[in-house]
Amino acid sequence: MQEQYEPSVIEPAAQRYWDQHQVFAARESAENSQPEREKYYCLSMFPYPSGRLHMGHVRNYTIGDVLSRFMRMRGKNVLQPMGWDAFGLPAENAAMINGVPPAKWTYDNIAYMKKQLQSLGLAIDWDREVATCRPEYYRWNQWFFLRMLEAGIAYKKTGTVNWDPIDQTVLANEQVVDGRGWRTGALVEKREIPMYYLRITQYADDLLQALDTLPGWPERVRAMQANWIGKSVGVRFAFTHDVRGADGRLIDEGKLWVFTTRADTIMGVTFCAVAAEHPLATHAARNQPQLAAFIEECKQGTAQEAELAQMEKKGMATGLYVTHPLTQEQVPVWVGNYVLMNYGEGAVMAVPAHDERDFGFALKYNLPIKQVIDVSAGVRNDESYSLTTWRDWYGDKQHGICIHSGKYDGLNYQQAVDAIAADLKAINLGDKQTQWRLRDWGISRQRYWGCPIPIIHCPSCGDVPVPDDQLPVVLPEDKVPDGSGNPLGKDPSFYQCKCPKCGDDARRETDTMDTFVDSSWYFLRYACADNSNSMVDARVNYWLPVDQYIGGIEHAILHLLYSRFWTRAMRELGLVDVAEPFTHLLTQGMVLNEIYFRKPAAGRIQYFNPTEIDWQTDDKGQRTNPTLRADGQPVEFAGIGTMSKSKNNGVDPQKLVELYGADTARLFTMFAAPPEQTLEWSDEGVQGAHRFMKRLWRAVYEHVKLGPVASGLNTSELNAAQKDLRRAVHQALSKVTDDIQRRRIFNTAIAAVMELMNTLAKFNDVTPNGRAVMQEALEKVVLMLSPIVPHVCHTLWNELGHGSTVIDQSWPEVDASALQQDTLEIVVQVNGKLRGRVVISAQATEQEARAIALADENVQRWVEDKPVRKFIYVPGKLINVVV
RNA sequence: GGCGGUGUGGCGGAAUUGGUAGACGCAGCGGACUUAAAAUCCGCCGGGUAACACCGUACCGGUUCGAGUCCGGUCACCGCCA
């Protein structure tokens, strides 16, 4: 065995072995004599082929790889695929800069990044690789889009869309962040264009309720999805009025519609508030310049819920009144800057007594406050209702009872809502209604580098679907966008076509699909990537659902929601059996690094890579005075932030692998933080991980150097030290198994192995029994670490004398007898404070333990002759003497 | 404002069901080896004390024999909210 650990030699060798023996090729059924194994589909979110891997990829794919390899050793039939989310804007942007077609840029990037992924030693079945920009893949986007069109799940409508003036494209609502395009940051404009939508709102209730069937998902992701879907159950009803517009007709047919979740407070309405754009506001402003000015001011304001909640509530009376549908009272109408036209009805009823926002508004503008709910019943008898100070319990609907509400007096929340909704329905002015925040998913994009929407526009037949036998509509791959709109619209060879129905000249749709479409079902296609005859086949039902999905928290809402929707649509159309595609979800934290900069008197801030910085340490060991190594001059430390090009704090995985090897990179990313938390990069930490690799190598080297172990392990002949070592080995094994299998935490599993290695280093017994114990210990260490650092374990397993390979080994079993102890150390507390430790027999009774504990010198010092009031005994762990 | 989360040494983090707070690693300090350095190995490493005592898991209070962990309240920070 070679003395030096050389990852640059052993890593390619291990990878070559895996490759030649096709060990990661997944099969759907049992082969030859192999017994039927349970399937395990381990999926990592596929990357966008941006050019190079970043550390986030390394972290993501290492987590997936550790789980895949672990599950394989646990006897599962594992599928771990990989592919490319290959359509999208960055390719077009790169094309504009370099003058190269997006297709070439994308395919080149895929080739390079695939090599990078392979250098990490991931246990991927590359035979199933998919790239969403290939016609073999996206033809099924088109095919299924047509099925959805037939089923009414997809439809066309003209609507107001968000127009990004820089990217020249439509954005989904969720792609607008703070009123700006999510990629460009440009202020979004409104445009009216025809586009295709998917009826995700039809599935809103199911998508919401089924979140409860996903205990394997993080709580916060489920909360974010529920929040996004935004179900609110309430009552939609109308105040009547006879306000007529300039044309003499009643505005909105004489009805001011509102939606409320607190219909039980309807008798407490003292005014209504409408949005600045509401027809009543517009009407009232015609001859009130002051109101018109206020409306203009409101229109400048935000449309963001978050900002809305924080800004100062302002309003102005319109002078108009509407009639309360149940009391016939005249209710004044105000314009409020906190009411949004495109949310709900653009108008709200105001109940100042029981809504904090309305309460503040009423105080500010001196509007009446009428209490109609009494919460004192059993809950709040210590405080009374005040007209000047808001208390949170004014809005309590759990314990409230209607008062001052005529026939509704005495009803609780649900009873009151039911009764009031029924009364409103009876007079035809309202009914119960469920409102959703979620909107239908607009998928049309006026972009080139995406999947063409398979529709032909015929002057006489209208919108005609491309017949199935003419699919796919192939995207030409030679175009170079120049920023002046969609190249497809300028290419007659693409858009000129014949109508499939009447054969006349027609024009092909030049919009392409949102790239979220591509990623909404790629995990299904991995199961049958080689099938050129159908979108999915029986193999999909074998592999699905995904047992473990791993990816970034940034996809917690959109991608995961769209995938859940798409899978449901496919199930509805009889293509797959499952509704929920992902059983367990792990959202890994981001990779952070330190940020350093200098701010010159003139010019832009200059950022420095953390590797170029030197620190000094003060007498407390704390770092001070960062300087730039190149010139020794001070730099500013700006804290920790996500790795990014603009902050010049990225770490190139390629260089890391070249310098230390893939195993070190894998070990560090798994060790530095739990998978769900952020990971702070540390070059010293990487060196520490590399140091451990070398220690591991040397431990095996020192052992192997002594020649083959003479005798097998005979557990009945071991001395105390040998037994202790065996116990340490099996304790570590027990912990590592639990950490990976149940807890999905790898840093503590690695820590346990490190601790074991520290113990091993102190064990210098070269007797036959001692060496046999050491052989077992090292074998277990190699097996335990093989999912995490597979290359070195591949080599070490053979060096330990095995003809077989570690990839084919089963996960080791804990030997329960090795864990047994004759004596136990028990912690003794006196009055809850640690005062001593005693060693007792493992079989000792509580009486015996008590006698030994009380006899202990340290314990006696604290107990003295005080009477023992209480004696707590936690067997095997702790004694607490209360005196 | 709403929802969700977090708060532990100089740093990343550990403590899994209420039972030894600080595992493991990094940094630092001391030592061995070396002409020297690097590498490697050994030891120390929350505050406090001569040594104990004592103090210590954001803050205030509670439950308990016992609280980082459970409960009530406060503060700070992070994430998400067409």
Side-chain angles (χ1 to χ4, degrees):
Chain A
M1 181 179 177
Q2 190 177 317
E3 188 174 354
Q4 296 303 316
Y5 168 55
E6 282 188 86
S8 59
V9 176
I10 63 167
E11 291 187 354
Q15 287 164 15
R16 222 174 298 122
Y17 176 88
W18 298 328
D19 195 33
Q20 282 168 3
H21 293 80
Q22 292 276 299
V23 288
F24 305 128
R27 301 280 175 270
E28 282 76 17
S29 56
E31 284 170 72
N32 308 328
S33 58
Q34 280 194 4
E36 197 67 53
R37 293 173 299 160
E38 211 181 330
K39 68 95 183 175
Y40 189 84
Y41 185 177
C42 184
L43 178 71
S44 291
M45 289 182 185
F46 64 168
Y48 178 80
S50 57
R52 300 173 77 82
L53 289 188
H54 53 70
M55 287 314 304
H57 291 129
V58 174
R59 190 177 192 197
N60 195 154
Y61 302 141
T62 303
I63 294 169
D65 200 49
V66 171
L67 287 171
S68 293
R69 288 172 178 272
F70 175 78
M71 288 301 170
R72 177 194 177 99
M73 293 177 82
R74 298 291 285 183
K76 296 284 172 68
N77 185 25
V78 174
L79 168 60
Q80 183 176 226
M82 187 54 73
W84 309 96
D85 189 12
F87 274 138
L89 294 177
E92 294 194 29
N93 296 337
M96 281 187 260
I97 294 167
N98 306 320
V100 175
K104 177 168 169 42
W105 183 83
T106 303
Y107 291 129
D108 287 351
N109 287 349
I110 288 175
Y112 183 77
M113 290 173 75
K114 183 172 177 178
K115 274 204 184 116
Q116 288 193 298
L117 285 177
Q118 287 169 328
S119 77
L120 288 171
L122 304 174
I124 286 167
D125 181 357
W126 284 104
D127 292 345
R128 295 167 185 264
E129 179 180 1
V130 301
T132 58
C133 63
R134 302 207 66 101
E136 308 89 273
Y137 182 83
Y138 67 70
R139 70 175 293 184
W140 302 113
N141 283 2
Q142 297 172 346
W143 181 83
F144 191 66
F145 170 79
L146 295 176
R147 300 292 84 75
M148 288 196 287
L149 206 56
E150 290 161 4
I153 301 171
Y155 65 97
K156 184 183 180 184
K157 83 171 178 190
T158 302
T160 312
V161 294
N162 304 302
W163 179 258
D164 187 316
I166 292 185
D167 271 344
Q168 297 274 303
T169 191
V170 170
L171 299 173
N173 282 334
E174 43 269 34
Q175 290 171 333
V176 180
V177 180
D178 296 339
R180 292 169 182 274
W182 71 320
R183 291 181 37 77
T184 62
L187 275 172
V188 169
E189 300 166 4
K190 299 289 179 195
R191 286 215 180 170
E192 300 275 331
I193 59 163
M195 55 188 288
Y196 288 92
Y197 286 85
L198 301 183
R199 220 178 283 279
I200 189 171
T201 52
Q202 193 175 292
Y203 298 79
D205 217 353
D206 186 26
L207 287 167
L208 179 67
Q209 291 198 12
L211 288 173
D212 292 336
T213 69
L214 296 172
W217 283 37
E219 180 58 40
R220 60 173 174 159
V221 174
R222 287 189 287 165
M224 281 158 83
Q225 292 223 342
N227 208 333
W228 188 266
I229 294 168
K231 180 181 187 174
S232 52
V233 180
V235 174
R236 178 178 180 264
F237 71 94
F239 293 81
T240 53
H241 62 79
D242 54 9
V243 180
R244 290 173 188 275
D247 57 1
R249 296 168 62 171
L250 284 170
I251 290 176
D252 291 338
E253 296 169 345
K255 287 172 183 166
L256 173 64
W257 287 97
V258 299
F259 175 84
T260 179
T261 57
R262 290 301 307 271
D264 60 317
T265 65
I266 196 171
M267 305 305 270
V269 170
T270 58
F271 64 99
C272 285
V274 300
E277 296 88 348
H278 195 279
L280 283 183
T282 313
H283 175 76
R286 283 193 311 169
N287 42 21
Q288 297 186 58
Q290 225 183 329
L291 182 62
F294 177 67
I295 285 172
E296 277 314 303
E297 186 191 327
C298 289
K299 285 179 180 171
Q300 307 298 318
T302 179
Q304 295 291 307
E305 277 176 76
E307 290 173 42
L308 212 57
Q310 275 165 356
M311 72 185 184
E312 193 191 352
K313 311 297 180 289
K314 287 190 200 167
M316 192 173 282
T318 60
L320 302 173
Y321 287 81
V322 292
T323 306
H324 192 293
L326 297 179
T327 67
Q328 313 306 321
E329 278 171 30
Q330 290 298 293
V331 177
V333 177
W334 285 61
V335 176
N337 67 345
Y338 60 95
V339 185
L340 293 182
M341 193 58 213
N342 57 1
Y343 192 78
E345 305 291 338
V348 296
M349 70 173 200
V351 184
H354 304 288
D355 179 277
E356 185 173 7
R357 197 172 52 184
D358 296 345
F359 188 91
F361 196 89
L363 282 188
K364 183 168 180 179
Y365 295 108
N366 212 10
L367 291 155
I369 298 172
K370 182 188 170 194
Q371 186 190 2
V372 291
I373 302 288
D374 181 14
V375 190
S376 62
V379 192
R380 295 283 176 190
N381 17 30
D382 52 330
E383 289 177 63
S384 57
Y385 196 95
S386 154
L387 290 178
T388 52
T389 316
W390 174 262
R391 301 251 185 270
D392 281 342
W393 58 267
Y394 296 176
D396 186 341
K397 65 182 184 186
Q398 307 292 330
H399 310 95
I401 299 293
C402 291
I403 54 169
H404 307 140
S405 299
K407 61 185 277 202
Y408 308 113
D409 279 358
L411 299 183
N412 68 21
Y413 170 76
Q414 197 56 55
Q415 292 163 336
V417 169
D418 290 348
I420 287 163
D423 287 350
L424 288 166
K425 191 174 182 180
I427 56 174
N428 224 3
L429 282 178
D431 202 352
K432 283 193 184 173
Q433 201 191 41
T434 302
Q435 250 193 10
W436 304 92
R437 222 176 132 270
L438 185 71
R439 296 297 147 99
D440 276 343
W441 175 16
I443 59 159
S444 296
R445 296 290 181 275
Q446 293 65 48
R447 306 296 314 191
Y448 158 58
W449 189 235
C451 169
I453 293 175
I455 295 288
I456 289 167
H457 302 289
C458 171
S460 30
C461 306
D463 299 339
V464 182
V466 174
D468 286 357
D469 59 12
Q470 291 174 29
L471 293 181
V473 175
V474 176
L475 183 75
E477 294 194 344
D478 57 350
K479 300 277 169 278
V480 182
D482 58 6
S484 68
N486 187 349
L488 296 179
K490 294 182 253 177
D491 179 10
S493 68
F494 180 78
Y495 66 74
Q496 280 180 358
C497 61
K498 299 290 179 193
C499 171
K501 263 191 189 167
C502 67
D504 281 356
D505 285 347
R507 184 181 168 95
R508 191 180 294 285
E509 172 68 58
T510 56
D511 281 1
T512 54
M513 296 184 195
D514 182 2
T515 55
F516 275 114
V517 169
D518 309 325
S519 56
S520 288
W521 70 283
Y522 75 106
F523 45 88
L524 303 175
R525 187 64 185 171
Y526 283 138
C528 57
D530 58 358
N531 190 334
S532 54
N533 298 315
S534 65
M535 184 178 189
V536 290
D537 59 34
R539 290 174 289 176
V540 173
N541 286 327
Y542 172 77
W543 289 112
L544 267 286
V546 171
D547 295 277
Q548 180 69 60
Y549 198 25
I550 304 131
I553 186 76
E554 67 273 21
H555 294 112
I557 298 176
L558 298 182
H559 162 60
L560 291 171
L561 194 63
Y562 290 152
S563 297
R564 296 178 64 219
F565 154 70
W566 192 281
T567 307
R568 277 170 168 73
M570 284 186 69
R571 187 179 66 155
E572 195 170 304
L573 299 181
L575 292 166
V576 296
D577 290 347
V578 298
E580 285 299 339
F582 315 119
T583 309
H584 293 273
L585 174 68
L586 193 157
T587 48
Q588 105 262 13
M590 292 192 294
V591 183
L592 313 179
N593 203 354
E594 293 167 338
I595 300 167
Y596 298 93
F597 69 95
R598 272 184 199 155
K599 200 169 183 178
R604 299 178 59 177
I605 292 184
Q606 195 184 358
Y607 287 95
F608 300 101
N609 195 279
T611 54
E612 304 165 11
I613 305 297
D614 284 325
W615 283 91
Q616 293 177 330
T617 48
D618 64 14
D619 40 340
K620 279 187 174 174
Q622 221 157 353
R623 302 189 309 176
T624 53
N625 302 328
T627 52
L628 184 65
R629 190 166 308 125
D631 60 14
Q633 296 302 304
V635 293
E636 300 282 332
F637 174 53
I640 310 281
T642 52
M643 285 188 179
S644 73
K645 266 186 200 151
S646 61
K647 297 279 162 61
N648 188 15
N649 65 342
V651 174
D652 183 7
Q654 196 64 33
K655 283 188 185 142
L656 196 68
V657 170
E658 283 162 16
L659 208 55
Y660 298 105
D663 282 339
T664 294
R666 295 171 59 119
L667 183 69
F668 175 72
T669 50
M670 291 300 95
F671 179 63
E676 308 232 55
Q677 284 182 35
T678 54
L679 185 156
E680 290 182 26
W681 198 259
S682 152
D683 278 319
E684 292 79 12
V686 174
Q687 284 162 30
H690 192 64
R691 209 172 293 147
F692 177 75
M693 299 303 300
K694 288 192 281 190
R695 271 164 60 96
L696 172 68
W697 183 274
R698 197 171 50 247
V700 173
Y701 172 77
E702 297 292 344
H703 173 75
V704 166
K705 200 170 66 174
L706 301 176
V709 176
S711 66
L713 186 65
N714 190 339
T715 55
S716 59
E717 288 177 1
L718 303 182
N719 64 29
Q722 291 160 352
K723 276 186 184 167
D724 284 347
L725 190 78
R726 274 206 89 220
R727 190 181 321 113
V729 169
H730 286 271
Q731 273 170 352
L733 176 58
S734 171
K735 174 160 177 58
V736 171
T737 307
D738 187 51
D739 280 351
I740 300 179
Q741 170 124 321
R742 183 179 61 84
R743 300 211 303 156
R744 298 278 147 83
I745 295 179
F746 313 108
N747 56 330
T748 49
I750 293 167
V753 179
M754 287 176 167
E755 202 177 353
L756 177 61
M757 289 299 294
N758 290 343
T759 307
L760 251 48
K762 296 188 178 86
F763 185 79
N764 294 314
D765 182 349
V766 292
T767 64
N769 275 346
R771 293 207 63 222
V773 170
M774 184 58 113
Q775 172 81 18
E776 187 205 13
L778 290 171
E779 284 179 3
K780 294 288 189 282
V781 165
V782 167
L783 290 169
M784 278 190 275
L785 287 177
S786 68
I788 298 166
V789 285
H791 307 92
V792 73
C793 290
H794 175 84
T795 307
L796 293 180
W797 182 254
N798 293 339
E799 297 291 0
L800 282 168
H802 296 281
S804 58
T805 48
V806 75
I807 188 70
D808 294 322
Q809 300 308 304
S810 292
W811 188 257
E813 294 291 332
V814 175
D815 181 354
S817 68
L819 297 177
Q820 276 176 9
Q821 287 177 273
D822 301 334
T823 57
L824 302 169
E825 192 186 62
I826 304 282
V827 168
V828 185
Q829 298 179 337
V830 179
N831 290 341
K833 298 209 170 190
L834 175 65
R835 297 303 184 192
R837 293 156 205 273
V838 294
V839 174
I840 64 170
S841 156
Q843 287 83 36
T845 62
E846 179 169 342
Q847 282 306 314
E848 290 162 345
R850 176 175 184 147
I852 294 167
L854 288 175
D856 183 76
E857 183 190 347
N858 291 317
V859 177
Q860 259 310 309
R861 271 179 55 211
W862 294 95
V863 175
E864 295 174 325
D865 51 2
K866 286 169 243 168
V868 176
R869 285 220 326 249
K870 201 164 180 182
F871 185 84
I872 312 281
Y873 179 50
V874 183
K877 270 203 168 157
L878 169 142
I879 285 168
N880 190 8
V881 184
V882 185
V883 297

